[in-house]
Amino acid sequence: MPSDFELRTSALTRQMHRHMDGVTAESMKLAGVSGLFNYGVNIPTIRRIAAETGCDHRFAKHIYMRPVRELRMAALTIADPAQVTAGELSFWLDGAITCELLDEMAMRLISRTRLADEVISQWLERGDARARYAALMSLARTAGCDAGRVLDAAAASVAEYPDDMQIARAAAVFCSSLVADDSFGPLLGEFAGKIDGRTPAAGHILGELEWMM
């Protein structure tokens, strides 16, 4: 007999299937959203269905590793940020195999945890390119993180991945999150001085910083 989680997974999958959009799925495939079965359900609809499911951390982890885009996206709304531990960070990162999922994970889950220090140390300072991108996108939405430490790690990331425009974009997003607070102006100036503008990634960031400073 199927377990309660299996029954709930089947019910959630049927809901997603009802909103299936083949045209959207094909356009997403052409845009590089691949590696998972994809019904083509738009993100607001996925979030609405997930919100109706309610917060259930164990169930979210159960569906997160299913090879279905919509289930993984839904899991990031169903999961409870308060229950995400430092030891779970690799689990959530491993399941975010597309840029779309990385963005959703950053916005809907990781930025709402109290793990800023762990995100910096595990992902931004020691992770691969995907981890560093996810860290910067998460920290851009995280109140109270150590901005100086993040910018130092971001500069090191740009130096290590000079052609990675995803990291460059995420670093610019983080910088823009500081602009509203004048006290961060000197930090942004120091950051600009630490990156080599001759590389594609750094050039993009410096171009974005021009209007921020």
Side-chain angles (χ1 to χ4, degrees):
M1 182 175 180
S3 67
D4 177 61
F5 277 4
E6 290 300 329
L7 292 172
R8 291 171 64 189
T9 301
S10 295
L12 185 58
T13 302
R14 287 195 296 272
Q15 283 185 279
M16 298 297 179
H17 187 268
R18 283 198 289 270
H19 295 277
M20 184 174 183
D21 185 336
V23 173
T24 300
E26 182 61 23
S27 67
M28 294 173 75
K29 181 179 179 181
L30 293 173
V33 179
S34 59
L36 299 170
F37 188 85
N38 178 15
Y39 290 117
V41 182
N42 64 61
I43 293 176
T45 299
I46 295 172
R47 290 175 180 169
R48 176 181 59 76
I49 293 171
E52 291 170 355
T53 300
C55 183
D56 187 329
H57 199 66
R58 288 180 60 237
F59 180 59
K61 292 179 70 175
H62 176 78
I63 64 174
Y64 188 62
M65 297 309 291
R66 295 298 178 94
V68 180
R69 167 186 170 266
E70 284 75 13
L71 291 182
R72 292 197 186 186
M73 295 286 284
L76 296 166
T77 290
I78 296 169
D80 182 358
Q83 293 189 50
V84 177
T85 66
E88 277 186 25
L89 286 175
S90 61
F91 168 81
W92 296 106
L93 181 64
D94 289 347
I97 66 172
T98 66
C99 190
E100 179 190 49
L101 277 164
L102 287 171
D103 288 343
E104 190 76 354
M105 178 186 66
M107 179 168 56
R108 303 289 289 179
L109 184 61
I110 303 302
S111 64
R112 299 180 179 184
T113 70
R114 300 190 180 209
L115 298 174
D117 287 344
E118 289 82 358
V119 169
I120 295 171
S121 63
Q122 289 189 34
W123 290 0
L124 185 55
E125 294 176 339
R126 300 199 302 270
D128 61 11
R130 288 177 58 257
R132 296 184 197 206
Y133 171 80
L136 288 165
M137 294 300 283
S138 299
L139 294 164
R141 299 175 173 85
T142 302
C145 67
D146 186 338
R149 184 180 172 192
V150 173
L151 290 172
D152 283 345
S157 296
V158 172
E160 188 169 347
Y161 298 95
D163 299 317
D164 194 314
M165 300 309 293
Q166 291 292 87
I167 289 178
R169 181 170 72 88
V173 170
F174 181 79
C175 290
S176 68
S177 74
L178 305 178
V179 169
D181 189 335
D182 292 339
S183 67
F184 290 119
L187 278 178
L188 291 175
E190 291 174 14
F191 172 63
K194 290 176 181 177
I195 57 178
D196 183 354
R198 293 171 297 179
T199 69
H204 173 80
I205 295 168
L206 291 175
E208 293 295 307
L209 283 171
E210 282 183 3
W211 66 266
M212 297 183 200
M213 298 171 60

